[in-house]
Amino acid sequence: MSCSIEPKIVVLGGGTGMPVLLRGLKKYPIELSTIVTVADDGGSTGRLRKDIEIPAPGDIRNVIAALSNVDAELKELFQHRFQVSNGLSGHSLGNLVLVAMNALTGDFYSAVKKVSDLFQVKGNIYPIVNESVTLHAEMDDGMIVSGESNIPMKNKKIKRVFLTPNNLEPMPKVVQAILEADIIVISPGSLYTSILPNLIIADVVKALNDTKAKVVYVCNVMTQDGETNNYHASDHVQAIYNHIGPNTIDSIIVHNQPIPEATLQLYARQHSAPVIYQKENLLQLGLQVMEEDIIDHSQTVIRHNTNKIAKLLYDLAINKKR
């Protein structure tokens, strides 16, 4: 097949990991679609959701900023968080813009599309659903914890997560994008509270099983306290399989270089450690294992190297089209 047509890449996720990945991908000649969680209920987003029944805007805002093609000052304005001693305190201007556009259009997806157009966003941004949802977790001891921000605070082993209302339907464009993709990327991020909320909706599960796309999981580099304590890379994959069925992921990208001791000590204070992987365990799960130095060494915090990850994913997409 000719490679003259741009490959279609779909990224699912949320939290801080997804925008990092997208900033690199947007530089490539691809047809890009992002599917973003709307289960967040902390901070500015949580306060807005208490007052107005809308999907969570916070992760969407960060994706708009990452994919925007406007000058740095406008992007900074969009991401500005008010630090004043009144009702605006802690709110992000971008969240307020999305809420205002939702009021004008009467529809959250239309609001996202309008704001995306204003910020000259590369590709499509789809909220996973077009309604307000609540994330719940069942812990190993049977306790049910409700609310995305509450789940890690319990510091218990998570058995499964689920959403209410029941029988949620994703936006039709979400399913279409998954079915038409060349590669689907499950982004790094909080496994149970940012990643799985995108994957567990029945029609999304079906689409992920039906798609001819190559599904790639960009594994977290560090564990997250309250969610993935002591998790190896295979535990991350197994958690996804437990929710959506086995053999739904084709490849995994893992970090294979030591992390500086000073950085490890900083993370240890937050009860976070490197995600270890045993290649044999990943191979037994049926995965192609891509082992690379994938962190940004210019930062003191651990972040994926947006340019390295983007190139890996673009090369995979091009090879898939051949």
Side-chain angles (χ1 to χ4, degrees), residues 78 92-102 111 115 118-119:
F78 187 66
S92 157
L93 180 61
N95 286 353
L96 298 176
V97 168
L98 284 162
V99 168
M101 192 65 82
N102 180 74
V115 176
L118 287 172
F119 281 81

Side-chain angles (χ1 to χ4, degrees), residues 223-241:
T223 62
Q224 182 176 352
D225 191 34
E227 288 204 33
T228 55
N229 302 76
N230 304 313
Y231 270 39
H232 291 189
S234 55
D235 297 317
H236 285 74
V237 174
Q238 191 60 58
I240 295 171
Y241 283 2

Side-chain angles (χ1 to χ4, degrees), residues 155-320:
N155 248 316
K156 294 188 173 191
K157 186 165 175 56
I158 300 167
K159 183 178 179 183
R160 68 181 182 108
V161 290
F162 59 99
L163 292 163
T164 56
N166 298 321
N167 303 315
L168 283 165
E169 291 189 6
M171 291 185 48
K173 288 178 183 288
V174 164
V175 172
Q176 183 182 354
I178 291 170
L179 293 176
E180 294 179 355
D182 292 301
I183 70 164
I184 294 163
V185 183
I186 300 173
S187 81
S190 300
L191 178 62
Y192 288 99
T193 54
S194 292
I195 306 308
L196 280 165
N198 283 307
L199 306 179
I200 57 178
I201 297 168
D203 287 352
V204 173
V205 174
K206 185 176 188 308
L208 286 169
N209 280 284
D210 290 347
T211 187
K212 300 290 194 292
K214 188 182 188 78
V215 180
V216 185
Y217 175 42
V218 183
C219 191
N220 293 336
V221 176
M222 304 296 289
T223 62
Q224 182 176 352
D225 191 34
E227 288 204 33
T228 55
N229 302 76
N230 304 313
Y231 270 39
H232 291 189
S234 55
D235 297 317
H236 285 74
V237 174
Q238 191 60 58
I240 295 171
Y241 283 2
N242 289 347
H243 283 78
I244 68 171
N247 307 316
T248 35
I249 301 172
D250 299 298
S251 304
I252 185 170
I253 300 175
V254 290
H255 180 64
N256 70 344
Q257 293 300 314
I259 293 165
E261 187 59 36
T263 306
L264 290 177
Q265 288 177 12
L266 283 174
Y267 274 81
R269 290 176 202 152
Q270 303 165 41
H271 309 289
S272 176
V275 173
I276 296 166
Y277 71 93
Q278 282 90 21
K279 188 171 181 178
E280 310 76 43
N281 293 350
L282 295 170
L283 292 171
Q284 283 174 9
L285 288 167
L287 300 172
Q288 174 196 10
V289 183
M290 303 174 69
E291 305 165 271
E292 301 282 347
D293 180 357
I294 55 171
I295 64 170
D296 184 346
H297 293 279
S298 69
Q299 298 196 49
T300 51
V301 293
I302 294 175
R303 294 285 181 266
H304 285 81
N305 184 313
T306 184
N307 295 319
K308 282 188 180 179
I309 294 287
K311 185 174 189 318
L312 284 170
L313 295 173
Y314 179 71
D315 290 346
L316 282 173
I318 287 295
N319 290 333
K320 178 70 170 61

Side-chain angles (χ1 to χ4, degrees), residues 116-130:
S116 297
D117 290 344
L118 287 172
F119 281 81
Q120 301 172 41
V121 155
K122 159 104 177 193
N124 306 300
I125 300 175
Y126 302 127
I128 183 70
V129 294
N130 204 22

